Amino acid sequence: MNRWSYIIMRVLQVIPTFFVVMALVFFMVRLLPGDPTSAILGERATEAMIARGNKELGLDKPLIVQFGVFVGHFFQGDLGDSINLKVPVFRLILERMPVTLFLTLYASVLAVLLAVPLSFVAALRRDTGIDSAIRGMFQIGLSMPVFYIGLQLLTILGARWRLFPIGGYGETFFEHLWYLFLPALTLGFNLAAILMRNLRAAILEVLQSEYVDFARAKGLRSSLILGKHVLRNAVISTVTLFGLNIGGLIGGAVITESVFAIPGVGRLMVDSIFGRDYPVIQGLTLTFAVLVSLTFILTDIVHAQLDPRVEVT
Amino acid sequence: MAAPSLVAAQTSSRTRVRLKPSLIAGIVIIGSLVIMALVPNLVAPYSPTNFDYQAVLQAPSIKHPFGTDNFGRDVLSRVIWGAQVDMQIALFTTLFPFVFGTLVGAMTGYYGRWLDAIFGRIVDIVVTFPFLVLVIAIVALLGPGLNNMFIAVSAVGWITYGRLVRGEILTQKKAEYALAGRVMGYTASRIIFRHLLPNAITPAVVYWMTDMALGILLGSSLGYLGLGAQPPTAEWGVIIADGKNFMTTAWWISTFPGLAITVAGIGFSLLGDGLADLLRPKG
Protein backbone atom coordinates (compact mmCIF):
# COMPACT_ATOMS: atom_id res chain seq x y z
CA MET A 1 0.00 0.00 0.00
CA ASN A 2 1.46 3.37 -0.90
CA ARG A 3 1.43 6.55 1.12
CA TRP A 4 -1.59 8.04 -0.57
CA SER A 5 -3.89 5.12 0.01
CA TYR A 6 -2.68 5.08 3.62
CA ILE A 7 -3.72 8.71 3.99
CA ILE A 8 -7.10 8.12 2.37
CA MET A 9 -7.70 5.09 4.53
CA ARG A 10 -6.80 6.97 7.69
CA VAL A 11 -9.34 9.65 6.76
CA LEU A 12 -12.02 7.06 6.01
CA GLN A 13 -11.41 5.39 9.38
CA VAL A 14 -12.40 8.58 11.15
CA ILE A 15 -15.80 8.91 9.50
CA PRO A 16 -17.73 6.27 11.50
CA THR A 17 -16.14 7.52 14.74
CA PHE A 18 -17.20 10.99 13.85
CA PHE A 19 -20.84 9.98 13.32
CA VAL A 20 -20.92 8.49 16.78
CA VAL A 21 -19.34 11.67 18.12
CA MET A 22 -22.08 13.73 16.48
CA ALA A 23 -24.76 11.46 17.88
CA LEU A 24 -23.16 11.66 21.32
CA VAL A 25 -23.04 15.46 21.35
CA PHE A 26 -26.57 15.67 20.00
CA PHE A 27 -28.14 13.29 22.49
CA MET A 28 -26.05 14.54 25.39
CA VAL A 29 -27.43 18.03 24.96
CA ARG A 30 -30.97 16.74 24.70
CA LEU A 31 -31.08 14.02 27.32
CA LEU A 32 -29.41 15.77 30.21
CA PRO A 33 -31.50 17.90 32.55
CA GLY A 34 -32.02 21.54 31.58
CA ASP A 35 -33.66 21.91 28.16
CA PRO A 36 -32.67 24.66 25.73
CA THR A 37 -36.13 26.18 25.42
CA SER A 38 -36.51 26.94 29.13
CA ALA A 39 -32.93 28.23 29.06
CA ILE A 40 -33.77 30.63 26.22
CA LEU A 41 -37.05 31.78 27.68
CA GLY A 42 -35.85 32.05 31.26
CA GLU A 43 -37.32 30.76 34.50
CA ARG A 44 -40.64 32.57 34.22
CA ALA A 45 -41.73 30.81 31.01
CA THR A 46 -45.15 29.16 31.09
CA GLU A 47 -45.91 25.68 29.75
CA ALA A 48 -47.54 27.18 26.66
CA MET A 49 -44.57 29.41 25.92
CA ILE A 50 -42.19 26.46 26.22
CA ALA A 51 -44.38 24.37 23.90
CA ARG A 52 -44.38 27.16 21.31
CA GLY A 53 -40.62 27.60 21.66
CA ASN A 54 -40.11 23.85 21.23
CA LYS A 55 -42.14 23.96 18.02
CA GLU A 56 -40.11 26.87 16.67
CA LEU A 57 -36.84 25.08 17.36
CA GLY A 58 -38.20 21.82 15.99
CA LEU A 59 -37.84 20.18 19.39
CA ASP A 60 -41.36 18.70 19.28
CA LYS A 61 -40.41 16.20 16.55
CA PRO A 62 -39.12 12.69 17.41
CA LEU A 63 -35.48 12.69 18.48
CA ILE A 64 -34.34 10.58 15.55
CA VAL A 65 -35.90 13.05 13.09
CA GLN A 66 -34.21 15.91 14.94
CA PHE A 67 -30.90 14.09 14.66
CA GLY A 68 -31.37 13.64 10.90
CA VAL A 69 -32.04 17.36 10.53
CA PHE A 70 -29.02 18.13 12.72
CA VAL A 71 -26.66 15.96 10.63
CA GLY A 72 -28.07 17.35 7.37
CA HIS A 73 -27.56 20.92 8.57
CA PHE A 74 -24.08 20.13 9.85
CA PHE A 75 -22.88 19.08 6.42
CA GLN A 76 -24.26 22.29 4.99
CA GLY A 77 -22.18 24.23 7.51
CA ASP A 78 -25.28 25.11 9.53
CA LEU A 79 -24.81 24.64 13.27
CA GLY A 80 -27.88 26.64 14.23
CA ASP A 81 -28.02 30.16 15.63
CA SER A 82 -26.50 31.46 18.82
CA ILE A 83 -29.22 32.17 21.35
CA ASN A 84 -27.51 35.17 22.88
CA LEU A 85 -25.60 36.68 19.97
CA LYS A 86 -28.33 35.98 17.37
CA VAL A 87 -25.83 35.02 14.66
CA PRO A 88 -25.14 31.68 12.99
CA VAL A 89 -22.89 29.52 15.18
CA PHE A 90 -20.84 28.50 12.16
CA ARG A 91 -19.99 32.13 11.35
CA LEU A 92 -19.17 32.81 14.98
CA ILE A 93 -16.75 29.89 15.11
CA LEU A 94 -15.23 30.81 11.75
CA GLU A 95 -14.58 34.35 13.02
CA ARG A 96 -13.01 33.28 16.29
CA MET A 97 -11.16 30.17 15.17
CA PRO A 98 -8.14 31.89 13.54
CA VAL A 99 -7.27 33.53 16.87
CA THR A 100 -7.26 30.20 18.68
CA LEU A 101 -5.35 28.45 15.90
CA PHE A 102 -2.77 31.21 15.95
CA LEU A 103 -2.44 30.93 19.72
CA THR A 104 -2.09 27.14 19.78
CA LEU A 105 0.39 27.05 16.88
CA TYR A 106 2.42 29.85 18.44
CA ALA A 107 2.39 27.99 21.77
CA SER A 108 3.50 24.76 20.07
CA VAL A 109 6.39 26.52 18.36
CA LEU A 110 7.50 28.09 21.65
CA ALA A 111 7.14 24.72 23.38
CA VAL A 112 9.37 23.01 20.83
CA LEU A 113 11.91 25.83 20.95
CA LEU A 114 12.05 25.45 24.73
CA ALA A 115 11.84 21.69 25.04
CA VAL A 116 14.14 20.37 22.29
CA PRO A 117 17.37 22.23 23.16
CA LEU A 118 16.80 21.87 26.90
CA SER A 119 16.11 18.14 26.62
CA PHE A 120 19.35 17.72 24.68
CA VAL A 121 21.29 19.61 27.32
CA ALA A 122 19.62 17.61 30.10
CA ALA A 123 20.24 14.28 28.37
CA LEU A 124 23.85 15.03 27.44
CA ARG A 125 24.61 16.34 30.93
CA ARG A 126 22.72 13.51 32.56
CA ASP A 127 22.60 13.44 36.37
CA THR A 128 24.48 16.71 36.73
CA GLY A 129 23.28 19.90 38.37
CA ILE A 130 22.17 21.29 34.99
CA ASP A 131 20.08 18.21 34.35
CA SER A 132 18.38 18.46 37.75
CA ALA A 133 17.77 22.19 37.32
CA ILE A 134 16.10 21.72 33.93
CA ARG A 135 14.04 18.79 35.13
CA GLY A 136 13.06 20.65 38.29
CA MET A 137 11.92 23.66 36.29
CA PHE A 138 9.70 21.51 34.10
CA GLN A 139 8.38 19.52 37.05
CA ILE A 140 7.17 22.83 38.46
CA GLY A 141 5.74 23.66 35.02
CA LEU A 142 3.77 20.42 35.05
CA SER A 143 2.41 21.03 38.53
CA MET A 144 1.45 24.67 38.08
CA PRO A 145 -2.01 25.35 36.66
CA VAL A 146 -2.11 27.14 33.30
CA PHE A 147 -4.31 29.94 34.59
CA TYR A 148 -1.89 30.60 37.44
CA ILE A 149 1.19 30.82 35.19
CA GLY A 150 -0.82 33.16 32.95
CA LEU A 151 -1.96 35.33 35.83
CA GLN A 152 1.59 35.69 37.20
CA LEU A 153 3.12 36.48 33.78
CA LEU A 154 0.33 38.96 33.12
CA THR A 155 0.89 40.71 36.43
CA ILE A 156 4.67 40.76 36.52
CA LEU A 157 5.66 41.19 32.84
CA GLY A 158 2.47 42.89 31.68
CA ALA A 159 1.13 45.12 34.43
CA ARG A 160 4.16 45.75 36.65
CA TRP A 161 7.08 45.95 34.19
CA ARG A 162 4.90 46.91 31.22
CA LEU A 163 6.96 44.78 28.86
CA PHE A 164 3.96 43.24 27.10
CA PRO A 165 0.36 44.20 26.36
CA ILE A 166 -2.07 42.90 28.99
CA GLY A 167 -4.89 41.87 26.68
CA GLY A 168 -6.26 41.91 23.16
CA TYR A 169 -5.02 40.41 19.96
CA GLY A 170 -3.71 43.16 17.65
CA GLU A 171 -4.34 43.77 13.95
CA THR A 172 -1.36 42.63 11.89
CA PHE A 173 0.64 39.41 11.98
CA PHE A 174 3.50 40.99 13.92
CA GLU A 175 1.08 42.57 16.35
CA HIS A 176 -0.44 39.13 16.88
CA LEU A 177 3.03 37.79 17.65
CA TRP A 178 3.56 40.63 20.10
CA TYR A 179 0.15 40.58 21.78
CA LEU A 180 -0.03 36.81 22.04
CA PHE A 181 3.51 36.27 23.31
CA LEU A 182 2.58 35.92 27.00
CA PRO A 183 -0.51 33.78 26.35
CA ALA A 184 1.47 31.53 24.00
CA LEU A 185 4.28 31.24 26.53
CA THR A 186 1.76 30.34 29.23
CA LEU A 187 0.21 27.65 27.10
CA GLY A 188 3.51 26.52 25.62
CA PHE A 189 5.27 26.09 28.96
CA ASN A 190 2.92 23.33 29.97
CA LEU A 191 3.34 21.52 26.66
CA ALA A 192 7.10 22.04 26.83
CA ALA A 193 7.12 20.31 30.22
CA ILE A 194 5.33 17.28 28.80
CA LEU A 195 7.58 17.18 25.72
CA MET A 196 10.74 17.63 27.75
CA ARG A 197 9.95 14.80 30.13
CA ASN A 198 9.56 12.32 27.27
CA LEU A 199 12.21 13.75 24.96
CA ARG A 200 14.95 13.48 27.54
CA ALA A 201 14.16 9.80 27.99
CA ALA A 202 13.91 9.28 24.22
CA ILE A 203 17.29 10.94 23.62
CA LEU A 204 18.95 8.88 26.34
CA GLU A 205 17.55 5.73 24.79
CA VAL A 206 18.80 6.67 21.33
CA LEU A 207 22.22 7.61 22.68
CA GLN A 208 22.56 4.10 24.11
CA SER A 209 21.37 2.36 20.95
CA GLU A 210 23.61 0.25 18.77
CA TYR A 211 23.35 2.39 15.70
CA VAL A 212 24.69 5.38 17.57
CA ASP A 213 27.55 3.23 18.87
CA PHE A 214 28.13 2.18 15.28
CA ALA A 215 28.11 5.77 14.04
CA ARG A 216 30.64 6.62 16.76
CA ALA A 217 32.75 3.63 15.79
CA LYS A 218 32.72 4.85 12.21
CA GLY A 219 34.34 7.98 13.58
CA LEU A 220 31.50 10.35 12.75
CA ARG A 221 31.67 13.72 14.43
CA SER A 222 29.38 13.88 17.45
CA SER A 223 27.57 16.92 16.06
CA LEU A 224 26.69 14.85 13.00
CA ILE A 225 25.52 11.94 15.13
CA LEU A 226 23.37 14.21 17.23
CA GLY A 227 21.98 16.05 14.24
CA LYS A 228 21.30 13.10 12.01
CA HIS A 229 20.44 10.18 14.26
CA VAL A 230 19.41 11.53 17.60
CA LEU A 231 17.49 14.58 16.41
CA ARG A 232 15.53 12.61 13.85
CA ASN A 233 14.32 10.20 16.50
CA ALA A 234 13.67 13.00 18.92
CA VAL A 235 11.50 14.72 16.32
CA ILE A 236 9.52 11.52 15.76
CA SER A 237 8.63 11.24 19.42
CA THR A 238 7.83 14.95 19.57
CA VAL A 239 5.36 14.59 16.70
CA THR A 240 3.66 11.64 18.37
CA LEU A 241 3.50 13.44 21.71
CA PHE A 242 2.16 16.54 20.06
CA GLY A 243 -0.67 14.53 18.56
CA LEU A 244 -1.44 12.91 21.90
CA ASN A 245 -1.51 16.26 23.67
CA ILE A 246 -3.49 18.32 21.18
CA GLY A 247 -6.57 17.83 23.35
CA GLY A 248 -4.73 19.23 26.35
CA LEU A 249 -3.52 22.13 24.24
CA ILE A 250 -7.07 23.03 23.21
CA GLY A 251 -8.23 22.72 26.81
CA GLY A 252 -5.36 24.97 27.85
CA ALA A 253 -6.35 27.47 25.16
CA VAL A 254 -9.84 27.68 26.69
CA ILE A 255 -8.29 28.68 30.01
CA THR A 256 -5.55 30.91 28.58
CA GLU A 257 -8.01 32.87 26.46
CA SER A 258 -10.13 33.47 29.53
CA VAL A 259 -7.17 34.71 31.59
CA PHE A 260 -5.82 37.03 28.87
CA ALA A 261 -9.23 38.11 27.50
CA ILE A 262 -8.41 36.90 23.99
CA PRO A 263 -11.40 36.73 21.61
CA GLY A 264 -10.93 33.11 20.46
CA VAL A 265 -13.19 30.05 20.48
CA GLY A 266 -12.03 29.02 23.94
CA ARG A 267 -13.33 32.20 25.50
CA LEU A 268 -16.47 31.83 23.39
CA MET A 269 -16.98 28.42 24.98
CA VAL A 270 -16.73 29.74 28.54
CA ASP A 271 -18.94 32.74 27.74
CA SER A 272 -21.52 30.45 26.13
CA ILE A 273 -21.65 28.28 29.23
CA PHE A 274 -22.47 31.21 31.45
CA GLY A 275 -24.97 32.43 28.85
CA ARG A 276 -26.47 28.90 28.55
CA ASP A 277 -26.01 29.21 24.79
CA TYR A 278 -26.57 25.54 23.89
CA PRO A 279 -26.20 25.76 20.09
CA VAL A 280 -22.78 27.39 20.51
CA ILE A 281 -21.59 24.82 23.09
CA GLN A 282 -22.79 22.01 20.83
CA GLY A 283 -21.16 23.51 17.73
CA LEU A 284 -17.89 24.16 19.52
CA THR A 285 -17.68 20.69 21.06
CA LEU A 286 -18.14 19.21 17.58
CA THR A 287 -15.61 21.57 16.04
CA PHE A 288 -13.02 20.67 18.67
CA ALA A 289 -13.66 16.99 18.00
CA VAL A 290 -13.07 17.58 14.27
CA LEU A 291 -9.87 19.47 15.03
CA VAL A 292 -8.53 16.71 17.26
CA SER A 293 -9.39 14.01 14.70
CA LEU A 294 -7.62 15.97 11.97
CA THR A 295 -4.57 16.40 14.18
CA PHE A 296 -4.50 12.66 14.90
CA ILE A 297 -4.55 11.92 11.17
CA LEU A 298 -1.92 14.55 10.48
CA THR A 299 0.47 13.30 13.18
CA ASP A 300 -0.01 9.71 12.01
CA ILE A 301 0.89 10.72 8.48
CA VAL A 302 3.90 12.78 9.54
CA HIS A 303 4.98 9.92 11.80
CA ALA A 304 4.73 7.47 8.91
CA GLN A 305 6.78 9.79 6.70
CA LEU A 306 9.49 10.27 9.28
CA ASP A 307 9.77 6.79 10.64
CA PRO A 308 10.42 4.09 8.02
CA ARG A 309 9.63 1.42 10.63
CA VAL A 310 5.94 2.35 10.75
CA GLU A 311 4.05 -0.34 8.92
CA VAL A 312 1.47 1.00 6.57
CA THR A 313 -1.39 -1.43 6.97
CA MET B 1 14.36 -27.30 57.72
CA ALA B 2 14.55 -25.08 54.72
CA ALA B 3 11.26 -23.31 55.32
CA PRO B 4 12.16 -21.19 58.39
CA SER B 5 15.34 -19.88 56.82
CA LEU B 6 13.39 -18.83 53.75
CA VAL B 7 11.00 -16.81 55.85
CA ALA B 8 13.88 -15.22 57.69
CA ALA B 9 15.54 -14.25 54.43
CA GLN B 10 12.35 -12.65 53.27
CA THR B 11 11.78 -10.53 56.36
CA SER B 12 15.35 -9.34 56.42
CA SER B 13 15.18 -8.29 52.77
CA ARG B 14 12.01 -6.41 53.52
CA THR B 15 13.56 -4.41 56.34
CA ARG B 16 16.38 -3.50 54.00
CA VAL B 17 14.02 -1.61 51.68
CA ARG B 18 15.35 1.94 51.70
CA LEU B 19 12.95 4.76 50.93
CA LYS B 20 14.35 7.26 48.46
CA PRO B 21 14.52 10.88 49.65
CA SER B 22 12.13 11.93 46.86
CA LEU B 23 9.55 9.40 48.00
CA ILE B 24 9.93 10.59 51.60
CA ALA B 25 9.44 14.18 50.42
CA GLY B 26 6.30 13.10 48.57
CA ILE B 27 4.94 11.32 51.63
CA VAL B 28 5.66 14.35 53.84
CA ILE B 29 3.97 16.80 51.43
CA ILE B 30 0.87 14.70 50.83
CA GLY B 31 0.77 13.66 54.50
CA SER B 32 0.67 17.29 55.66
CA LEU B 33 -2.00 18.12 53.09
CA VAL B 34 -4.08 15.19 54.33
CA ILE B 35 -3.73 16.42 57.92
CA MET B 36 -4.78 19.93 56.85
CA ALA B 37 -7.73 18.41 55.00
CA LEU B 38 -8.80 16.28 57.98
CA VAL B 39 -8.47 18.80 60.82
CA PRO B 40 -8.21 22.28 59.24
CA ASN B 41 -9.78 23.80 62.36
CA LEU B 42 -6.80 22.64 64.44
CA VAL B 43 -4.14 23.76 61.93
CA ALA B 44 -5.54 27.07 60.70
CA PRO B 45 -4.93 30.09 62.95
CA TYR B 46 -8.14 31.88 61.93
CA SER B 47 -11.57 31.15 60.47
CA PRO B 48 -11.52 30.93 56.66
CA THR B 49 -14.77 32.85 56.24
CA ASN B 50 -14.81 35.46 59.02
CA PHE B 51 -14.66 39.02 57.71
CA ASP B 52 -12.40 41.44 59.57
CA TYR B 53 -12.81 44.96 58.23
CA GLN B 54 -10.07 46.18 60.58
CA ALA B 55 -7.52 44.10 58.67
CA VAL B 56 -8.30 44.40 54.97
CA LEU B 57 -5.65 43.66 52.28
CA GLN B 58 -2.79 43.42 54.78
CA ALA B 59 0.57 42.30 53.44
CA PRO B 60 2.12 39.12 54.86
CA SER B 61 3.25 39.64 58.46
CA ILE B 62 3.88 37.54 61.55
CA LYS B 63 0.23 37.82 62.47
CA HIS B 64 -0.95 36.89 58.97
CA PRO B 65 1.92 34.99 57.26
CA PHE B 66 0.08 34.93 53.89
CA GLY B 67 -1.61 38.34 54.37
CA THR B 68 -5.33 39.05 54.30
CA ASP B 69 -7.81 39.49 51.43
CA ASN B 70 -10.23 42.28 50.57
CA PHE B 71 -12.65 41.10 53.26
CA GLY B 72 -9.91 40.82 55.87
CA ARG B 73 -9.98 37.02 55.74
CA ASP B 74 -6.68 35.36 56.66
CA VAL B 75 -5.23 33.91 53.42
CA LEU B 76 -3.19 31.24 55.23
CA SER B 77 -6.32 29.93 56.92
CA ARG B 78 -8.19 29.96 53.61
CA VAL B 79 -5.38 28.03 51.93
CA ILE B 80 -5.40 25.45 54.76
CA TRP B 81 -9.18 25.03 54.56
CA GLY B 82 -8.77 24.91 50.80
CA ALA B 83 -6.72 21.73 51.25
CA GLN B 84 -9.91 20.08 52.49
CA VAL B 85 -11.79 20.92 49.29
CA ASP B 86 -8.90 20.26 46.91
CA MET B 87 -7.91 16.93 48.48
CA GLN B 88 -11.56 15.90 48.13
CA ILE B 89 -11.34 16.93 44.49
CA ALA B 90 -8.19 14.83 44.09
CA LEU B 91 -9.94 11.81 45.60
CA PHE B 92 -13.38 12.05 44.02
CA THR B 93 -12.22 12.90 40.50
CA THR B 94 -10.08 9.74 40.49
CA LEU B 95 -11.67 7.12 42.75
CA PHE B 96 -14.45 6.00 40.44
CA PRO B 97 -12.25 6.13 37.31
CA PHE B 98 -9.60 4.02 39.09
CA VAL B 99 -12.00 1.32 40.29
CA PHE B 100 -14.26 1.21 37.25
CA GLY B 101 -11.45 1.61 34.71
CA THR B 102 -9.45 -1.18 36.37
CA LEU B 103 -12.45 -3.51 36.24
CA VAL B 104 -13.21 -2.70 32.61
CA GLY B 105 -9.54 -3.04 31.66
CA ALA B 106 -9.30 -6.41 33.39
CA MET B 107 -12.47 -7.71 31.73
CA THR B 108 -11.63 -6.50 28.23
CA GLY B 109 -8.04 -7.67 28.52
CA TYR B 110 -9.01 -11.11 29.77
CA TYR B 111 -12.03 -11.88 27.61
CA GLY B 112 -11.04 -9.93 24.50
CA ARG B 113 -13.26 -10.46 21.43
CA TRP B 114 -16.42 -8.33 21.24
CA LEU B 115 -15.94 -6.81 24.69
CA ASP B 116 -12.55 -5.57 23.60
CA ALA B 117 -13.94 -4.31 20.29
CA ILE B 118 -16.60 -2.24 22.08
CA PHE B 119 -14.02 -0.83 24.46
CA GLY B 120 -11.76 0.05 21.52
CA ARG B 121 -14.55 2.03 19.83
CA ILE B 122 -15.38 3.88 23.08
CA VAL B 123 -11.71 4.82 23.42
CA ASP B 124 -11.64 6.06 19.81
CA ILE B 125 -14.60 8.31 20.51
CA VAL B 126 -13.52 9.66 23.87
CA VAL B 127 -9.98 10.53 22.74
CA THR B 128 -11.54 12.62 19.99
CA PHE B 129 -12.75 15.14 22.55
CA PRO B 130 -10.30 17.36 24.35
CA PHE B 131 -10.69 16.22 27.98
CA LEU B 132 -11.21 19.70 29.42
CA VAL B 133 -13.66 20.67 26.67
CA LEU B 134 -15.72 17.55 27.29
CA VAL B 135 -15.71 18.11 31.04
CA ILE B 136 -16.63 21.76 30.56
CA ALA B 137 -19.43 20.80 28.18
CA ILE B 138 -20.87 18.27 30.64
CA VAL B 139 -20.55 20.74 33.53
CA ALA B 140 -22.26 23.34 31.34
CA LEU B 141 -25.22 21.03 30.86
CA LEU B 142 -25.46 19.83 34.45
CA GLY B 143 -24.71 23.24 35.94
CA PRO B 144 -21.58 24.48 37.76
CA GLY B 145 -20.60 22.91 41.07
CA LEU B 146 -18.32 20.31 42.59
CA ASN B 147 -20.66 17.30 42.34
CA ASN B 148 -21.38 17.87 38.67
CA MET B 149 -17.66 18.25 38.08
CA PHE B 150 -17.05 14.84 39.73
CA ILE B 151 -19.71 13.28 37.48
CA ALA B 152 -18.20 14.88 34.37
CA VAL B 153 -14.63 13.81 35.15
CA SER B 154 -15.70 10.30 36.16
CA ALA B 155 -17.59 9.86 32.90
CA VAL B 156 -14.37 10.36 30.94
CA GLY B 157 -11.49 9.62 33.30
CA TRP B 158 -11.91 5.82 33.62
CA ILE B 159 -10.76 5.34 30.01
CA THR B 160 -7.07 5.87 30.84
CA TYR B 161 -7.12 3.29 33.64
CA GLY B 162 -8.98 0.89 31.38
CA ARG B 163 -6.30 1.16 28.71
CA LEU B 164 -3.44 0.77 31.20
CA VAL B 165 -4.87 -2.30 32.93
CA ARG B 166 -6.03 -3.87 29.66
CA GLY B 167 -2.50 -3.71 28.26
CA GLU B 168 -1.01 -5.26 31.40
CA ILE B 169 -3.61 -8.04 31.57
CA LEU B 170 -2.94 -8.86 27.92
CA THR B 171 0.71 -9.60 28.70
CA GLN B 172 0.04 -11.23 32.09
CA LYS B 173 -2.58 -13.65 30.83
CA LYS B 174 -0.01 -15.27 28.55
CA ALA B 175 2.29 -15.90 31.51
CA GLU B 176 2.72 -19.46 32.75
CA TYR B 177 1.11 -18.90 36.13
CA ALA B 178 -2.10 -17.72 34.42
CA LEU B 179 -2.16 -20.73 32.14
CA ALA B 180 -1.52 -22.92 35.19
CA GLY B 181 -4.52 -21.35 36.89
CA ARG B 182 -6.67 -22.20 33.92
CA VAL B 183 -5.37 -25.77 33.79
CA MET B 184 -6.22 -26.12 37.49
CA GLY B 185 -9.78 -25.25 36.54
CA TYR B 186 -10.01 -22.00 38.53
CA THR B 187 -12.90 -19.72 37.71
CA ALA B 188 -12.25 -16.70 35.50
CA SER B 189 -12.96 -14.28 38.35
CA ARG B 190 -10.44 -16.08 40.60
CA ILE B 191 -7.78 -15.94 37.89
CA ILE B 192 -8.49 -12.27 37.15
CA PHE B 193 -8.72 -10.95 40.70
CA ARG B 194 -6.36 -13.25 42.64
CA HIS B 195 -3.72 -13.92 40.02
CA LEU B 196 -3.66 -11.40 37.17
CA LEU B 197 -4.73 -8.11 38.76
CA PRO B 198 -2.15 -8.04 41.57
CA ASN B 199 0.53 -8.28 38.87
CA ALA B 200 -1.17 -5.92 36.45
CA ILE B 201 -2.31 -3.09 38.67
CA THR B 202 0.99 -1.30 39.37
CA PRO B 203 0.88 1.11 36.38
CA ALA B 204 -2.70 2.02 37.26
CA VAL B 205 -1.77 2.74 40.90
CA VAL B 206 1.19 4.88 39.82
CA TYR B 207 -0.97 6.73 37.32
CA TRP B 208 -3.55 7.24 40.05
CA MET B 209 -1.09 9.44 41.94
CA THR B 210 -0.40 11.56 38.83
CA ASP B 211 -4.11 11.66 38.15
CA MET B 212 -4.83 13.11 41.57
CA ALA B 213 -2.48 15.99 40.74
CA LEU B 214 -4.26 16.39 37.40
CA GLY B 215 -7.57 16.31 39.28
CA ILE B 216 -6.49 19.22 41.46
CA LEU B 217 -5.25 21.12 38.38
CA LEU B 218 -8.58 20.53 36.66
CA GLY B 219 -10.68 21.26 39.74
CA SER B 220 -8.87 24.50 40.48
CA SER B 221 -9.07 25.54 36.81
CA LEU B 222 -12.81 25.01 36.80
CA GLY B 223 -13.02 26.80 40.17
CA TYR B 224 -11.09 29.70 38.67
CA LEU B 225 -13.42 29.87 35.66
CA GLY B 226 -16.43 29.76 38.00
CA LEU B 227 -17.54 26.28 36.90
CA GLY B 228 -16.25 24.24 39.86
CA ALA B 229 -16.51 24.97 43.58
CA GLN B 230 -18.55 28.10 44.16
CA PRO B 231 -17.50 31.06 46.33
CA PRO B 232 -17.24 31.57 49.26
CA THR B 233 -15.91 27.99 49.42
CA ALA B 234 -12.19 28.18 50.14
CA GLU B 235 -11.04 26.19 47.09
CA TRP B 236 -7.58 27.10 45.80
CA GLY B 237 -8.74 28.01 42.29
CA VAL B 238 -11.62 30.06 43.70
CA ILE B 239 -9.27 31.96 46.05
CA ILE B 240 -6.98 32.75 43.08
CA ALA B 241 -9.98 34.04 41.13
CA ASP B 242 -11.03 36.12 44.17
CA GLY B 243 -7.60 37.72 44.31
CA LYS B 244 -6.98 38.22 40.60
CA ASN B 245 -8.29 41.80 40.59
CA PHE B 246 -5.85 42.67 43.36
CA MET B 247 -2.78 41.17 41.69
CA THR B 248 -0.97 44.48 41.34
CA THR B 249 -1.85 45.77 44.81
CA ALA B 250 -2.16 42.60 46.92
CA TRP B 251 -0.24 39.83 45.14
CA TRP B 252 -0.38 37.51 48.15
CA ILE B 253 -4.09 36.63 47.83
CA SER B 254 -3.65 34.71 44.57
CA THR B 255 0.01 33.78 44.82
CA PHE B 256 -0.12 31.54 47.91
CA PRO B 257 -3.02 29.31 46.86
CA GLY B 258 -1.28 28.91 43.47
CA LEU B 259 1.86 27.75 45.26
CA ALA B 260 -0.28 25.34 47.27
CA ILE B 261 -1.57 23.77 44.04
CA THR B 262 1.98 23.52 42.71
CA VAL B 263 3.31 21.92 45.89
CA ALA B 264 0.42 19.44 45.94
CA GLY B 265 1.15 18.56 42.30
CA ILE B 266 4.84 18.03 43.00
CA GLY B 267 3.94 15.95 46.08
CA PHE B 268 1.72 13.60 44.09
CA SER B 269 4.36 13.28 41.34
CA LEU B 270 7.08 12.39 43.84
CA LEU B 271 4.76 9.90 45.49
CA GLY B 272 3.89 8.37 42.11
CA ASP B 273 7.52 8.12 40.97
CA GLY B 274 8.57 6.69 44.33
CA LEU B 275 5.78 4.09 44.26
CA ALA B 276 6.76 3.15 40.71
CA ASP B 277 10.31 2.47 41.94
CA LEU B 278 9.11 0.50 44.96
CA LEU B 279 6.54 -1.61 43.12
CA ARG B 280 8.69 -2.32 40.08
CA PRO B 281 9.69 -5.99 40.11
CA LYS B 282 13.32 -6.31 41.20
CA GLY B 283 15.94 -8.18 39.29
Side-chain angles (χ1 to χ4, degrees), chain A residues 17-236:
Chain A
T17 308
F18 195 68
F19 263 98
V20 182
V21 166
M22 280 183 83
L24 207 70
V25 171
F26 176 85
F27 289 105
M28 200 169 76
V29 171
R30 271 147 195 88
L31 295 182
L32 288 172
D35 66 303
T37 321
S38 344
I40 302 170
L41 296 173
E43 280 169 12
R44 288 196 209 143
T46 60
E47 295 276 325
M49 281 164 79
I50 290 177
R52 205 179 331 127
N54 278 341
K55 206 172 168 70
E56 269 173 37
L57 293 171
L59 296 176
D60 55 339
K61 300 196 183 83
L63 268 181
I64 193 76
V65 176
Q66 288 186 41
F67 182 57
V69 173
F70 173 69
V71 173
H73 283 175
F74 178 82
F75 284 107
Q76 293 163 28
D78 178 5
L79 294 167
D81 289 346
S82 158
I83 294 169
N84 297 332
L85 301 167
K86 314 280 185 225
V87 290
V89 172
F90 186 72
R91 212 179 78 201
L92 207 56
I93 293 176
L94 217 57
E95 269 171 27
R96 305 270 196 120
M97 188 52 89
V99 187
T100 304
L101 285 181
F102 194 100
L103 173 66
T104 41
L105 279 177
Y106 194 4
S108 317
V109 171
L110 288 182
V112 169
L113 288 180
L114 269 174
V116 173
L118 286 175
S119 330
F120 265 99
V121 173
L124 293 174
R125 300 267 175 280
R126 185 188 184 177
D127 295 330
T128 62
I130 303 169
D131 183 25
S132 321
I134 293 175
R135 289 168 73 191
M137 186 176 92
F138 281 109
Q139 179 58 52
I140 292 172
L142 274 179
S143 306
M144 219 175 238
V146 168
F147 67 92
Y148 184 68
I149 299 176
L151 198 62
Q152 292 294 353
L153 287 176
L154 189 64
T155 309
I156 297 167
L157 300 180
R160 194 159 301 161
W161 295 350
R162 299 185 188 282
L163 292 174
F164 292 95
I166 53 169
Y169 176 52
E171 301 290 329
T172 62
F173 177 77
F174 289 103
E175 269 182 30
H176 294 338
L177 280 185
W178 171 239
Y179 273 86
L180 291 183
F181 180 74
L182 288 186
L185 189 65
T186 304
L187 190 53
F189 193 59
N190 213 274
L191 182 64
I194 297 170
L195 292 180
M196 147 85 198
R197 199 175 174 147
N198 296 281
L199 264 178
R200 180 181 168 279
I203 294 169
L204 282 177
E205 202 184 305
V206 175
L207 281 176
Q208 281 155 8
S209 68
E210 283 179 359
Y211 59 85
V212 169
D213 282 344
F214 182 68
R216 281 212 188 97
K218 276 198 300 191
L220 291 183
R221 272 177 297 125
S222 47
S223 61
L224 197 72
I225 297 174
L226 283 182
K228 202 172 165 195
H229 294 286
V230 184
L231 188 66
R232 186 188 176 94
N233 282 284
V235 168
I236 290 172

